[in-house]
Amino acid sequence: MDALFQAFNNAGHSLFEVGGCVRDRLMGVEPNDMDFATSALPKETIEILTSAGLASYPIGIEFGTVQTILDGEKVEITTFRCSESYTKGDRKPSVVFGDSIESDLARRDLTFNALARRSDGSIIDPFGGEADLANGIIRTPGDPNIAFTDDPLRILRAARFVARGMGEIEQMTLNAMCVHKELVLELSAERVFEEITKLLMAKHPVLGLRALDATGLLRVLFPELEPVLDFTEDTGKWHHLSVWEHTLMVVDNTPPIAEVRWAALFHDSAKPACWSKTSTGIHFLRHDHVGSEIWDSVARKLKCSNKFREHVSTLIFEHQCLRNNMGIKGIRRLIHRLGDRLDNLFYHTRADIIGHVPHIV
C-alpha cells in the first residue's frame, strides 16, 4: 500500500483510503474491500499505475473509477467527486468530479463512511463519523433531506446499518427517511433487491426490518406485506405471536442464506387472505401455495434471477410438508422434488417451528 501512496505522491496527486475500509479498521475489523479517492483524473490514474508497474482496469472510468491489483487483491481508485445523483430507475449515477477530499466525503451516505485515511495513518473526519461509530449513531454527513433526494438508496442503507448492529438512526435522519420514503420507488429494482438482501443477510436482520417498518418503508417497498403488518385476527392455538412478529422470529432463527431469509420474510404472506374460523378452530388453508404465488410476483418486480426466484418459491410452497407424516415414499418424493434445496427447507422449517407456541414445540 505504501508503494501506491508513493506513486501518486511522486506524480503530484493526493491519495486517501476512504469509506468502509477506514470504518472497518477503526472497528478492528480487516476490510473486505479497499477503496481509494484521489485528486487525479481517471486517465492520470491509469498513467500513474502504469508508471508504477501496476495493472489498470477502467471498470467505471466514466464515473472516475479505475481498478488495480494490490497484494493480490482488487483495489478501486476513484477521482474525488463533489456530487453524485441518480435518474429515476437508473443504476448508474451522474457524477461531477471534485477538487478536495472534504468535498468527496461530504457526498457520502453516512458519517462513519465519510472518513479518509492518509498515508501516515491519520484520519480525516470532517463530520464526526468516528464519534458516531463509537456512540452507535447512524446519520448522514449533511442535511439528510438532500442526501436522500440525491440518492434514495441511502435511505435503505441507513436501515441496513441498523441490521448490522451499528447503532440507532439519529432523529433528523429518521424523520427524513419517513418524509422521503416514497423516493425508494425511483430506484432500479436491482438496487433494491441487492440492498434488502444485504439487510437480510446482516447479523441482526430483524432490527433492520423493524426500522423499515417504523419508517413506513416496508409498506412502500412491499405492499404485499401490508396485510401481514395489519393482521389482528386470532392466529390459533399453534401461535402465540401475531403473523408479523412470528415472521420476524422465523427470519431471526434462519442461517444467513439469502434464499432462506427471503423465504422466511414471505412464507406467511398469504395468511391474512387465507384465514378462516370454523368449529374446529383457526385455519390458514393453502397459505403456503398462495404465499409462493405472492413471492413470485414480488421476485419478478425485483428482477432477481429465475433460479433465485424459483428456489425461494419452492421453500415457501413446501414449508408445511415436513410436519406431515410422509412415510418413506413421501420422503423420497420430497428429496426428488427439492434436490439440493432440501437443506434450506430444513433450515426454514426449523425456524418456523421455533416461532410456534413454545410448550407445543
Side-chain angles (χ1 to χ4, degrees), residues 11-165:
H13 283 288
S14 55
L15 181 74
F16 303 90
E17 190 178 6
V18 292
C21 52
V22 180
R23 178 200 67 226
D24 289 347
R25 290 189 193 283
L26 290 173
M27 295 173 64
V29 177
E30 189 64 28
N32 289 325
D33 303 303
M34 296 289 292
D35 295 301
F36 292 86
T38 181
S39 58
L41 293 172
K43 289 183 179 179
E44 293 173 318
T45 295
I46 292 172
E47 292 172 1
I48 293 168
L49 292 173
T50 301
S51 298
L54 294 169
S56 62
Y57 306 97
I59 58 168
I61 196 166
E62 65 271 37
F63 312 117
T65 302
V66 177
Q67 188 182 85
T68 189
I69 306 297
L70 198 63
D71 299 326
E73 299 292 333
K74 294 178 181 178
V75 169
E76 291 187 1
I77 304 170
T78 302
T79 302
F80 295 153
R81 299 173 180 178
C82 64
S83 73
E84 176 180 309
S85 59
Y86 286 80
T87 303
K88 182 177 180 179
D90 202 346
R91 301 181 66 183
K92 298 178 179 179
S94 174
V95 169
V96 177
F97 294 142
D99 57 7
S100 70
I101 186 60
E102 288 77 16
S103 65
D104 184 88
L105 296 178
R107 57 94 195 167
R108 292 179 180 264
D109 56 358
L110 300 167
T111 57
F112 48 60
N113 292 329
L115 298 166
R117 191 177 75 92
R118 300 183 181 89
S119 58
D120 63 3
S122 60
I123 301 296
I124 300 171
D125 180 15
F127 303 103
E130 191 169 359
D132 286 348
L133 188 64
N135 295 320
I137 298 172
I138 298 172
R139 63 184 179 95
T140 58
D143 184 342
N145 297 288
I146 296 173
F148 295 154
T149 302
D150 285 347
D151 184 5
L153 190 74
R154 293 168 178 163
I155 302 173
L156 302 184
R157 284 177 63 82
R160 173 158 69 87
F161 279 99
V162 173
R164 288 187 59 175

Side-chain angles (χ1 to χ4, degrees), residues 19 35 39 47 83 127 164 184 189 191 200 207 211 230 261 277 283 288 294 303 328 339 345:
D35 295 301
S39 58
E47 292 172 1
S83 73
F127 303 103
R164 288 187 59 175
V184 298
R191 294 184 82 203
L200 289 172
L207 294 180
D230 294 336
R261 289 202 167 161
K277 185 176 183 179
H283 306 283
D288 42 3
I294 291 173
K303 297 183 180 180
I328 296 299
L345 180 63

